[in-house]
Amino acid sequence: MKVLIAGGGVAGLTLAALLRPRGHQITVVDPGHGSDDGFALALWPHGTRVLHAVGVHDRLVERGLPMRRYTARSGSGALLTTSGPPAGIARHGYLGTVPRSDLVEMLATACDHVEHRTGRIVALQQHHAGVDARLDDGTTFEADLLVGADGIGSAVRTALLGPQPRHDTGWTCATWWTEAADHPGDAGETLEFWGAGSFVGCYPCQGRVCLIVGGPSDTVRGPQARAWLRRTLTGAGLPADRLLPGSDDERWLWPMTDVRSTRWVRDRVALVGDAAAAFLPTAGMGASMALESAAALADELSRCDAGHVPFALRRYERRRKGRVERAQRQSRHFARALFTSSSTVARLRNGIVARMSVDRLLDPLVRDLEHPA
């Protein structure tokens, strides 16, 4: 089959790597601009199990950092809860953090014999036997199926379904990297500070740490943003002089929005990853769900020929949409608790978290591991 994949990120490359050994003619189209290095990814066993099939799991273990402890503190640094990962995680697979750029690079190494084109799909037209797609440079492609793996702002999704509503929390996060020696926690310890009107996350990877500091968008994006970041870090008891980036250019601003597509497939076009359901980072599940969905799509496509692609895509949607939307709802629930400017609500939230174990906090995500994907 001729398979056209829009997007060379986590979902798109995973799908290409899994389809490649089956002899399909695969083309990945990606704009090829911007940095993939903006943040760290938490990878749960939902997703890391897929990397065995891709052939890069050992490389992930070499370059990733296992998550050994999770600690939540208040915005002023008071301890709320601390624990190792839930006991049930280890029997399902690897749990750790890795820079997004490292994961994308690993996946790309598994995509030999896959054609890569620079560009963006701007229009598509379906017919009985396939899909015609037009790139922004005027090039046209004909394929047996088109997969939109082109992220939260998916052009394929828009061409297929029209604009889809975004869920906007009203918050934005600034994220940047700092040296591993500056990590305020222990090795392998994910550390978060839950304040009123502020959030700080420290996510260690091998050799460096990803800092994510969030607040209401007008605060994080305003002219006083750097002064606000300094006050937020200092208020949490963190060494702001060491942790702040040297210049504003080193910060990447991440709007805390997500998207849920009303449909994932139509005839010979399917959506996967953030194009289908983009995640807030609050549960750390977006990349793992993208990996799992790409594997499910590859599995369904392995059971059909070009003539039966629409049926395979419908089965893929039935397998994945409900599971992914449950995980997305969990990330939204966490966001409602985290992203508050009310001191009263923050005190109540922190009081509840202080009485909860990490196992109970993450129980819905762990229970999902016991169910087929």
Side-chain angles (χ1 to χ4, degrees), residues 134-145:
R134 179 165 54 84
L135 272 58
D136 49 4
D137 65 358
T139 305
T140 59
F141 282 88
E142 183 176 351
D144 295 304
L145 73 148

Side-chain angles (χ1 to χ4, degrees), residues 115-200:
E115 181 185 4
H116 294 266
R117 292 289 300 266
T118 300
R120 189 168 183 265
I121 292 175
V122 295
L124 63 91
Q125 184 173 1
Q126 299 199 64
H127 47 84
H128 174 71
V131 186
D132 296 328
R134 179 165 54 84
L135 272 58
D136 49 4
D137 65 358
T139 305
T140 59
F141 282 88
E142 183 176 351
D144 295 304
L145 73 148
L146 166 63
V147 179
D150 47 345
I152 188 171
S154 172
V156 173
R157 184 185 65 230
T158 300
L160 186 69
L161 302 170
Q164 300 291 289
R166 288 202 179 203
H167 171 74
D168 189 351
T169 67
W171 278 41
T172 294
C173 287
T175 178
W176 66 92
W177 293 94
T178 189
E179 299 296 325
D182 293 330
H183 181 42
D186 295 330
E189 180 184 18
T190 290
L191 183 58
E192 295 181 341
F193 297 80
W194 297 13
S198 67
F199 167 83
V200 178

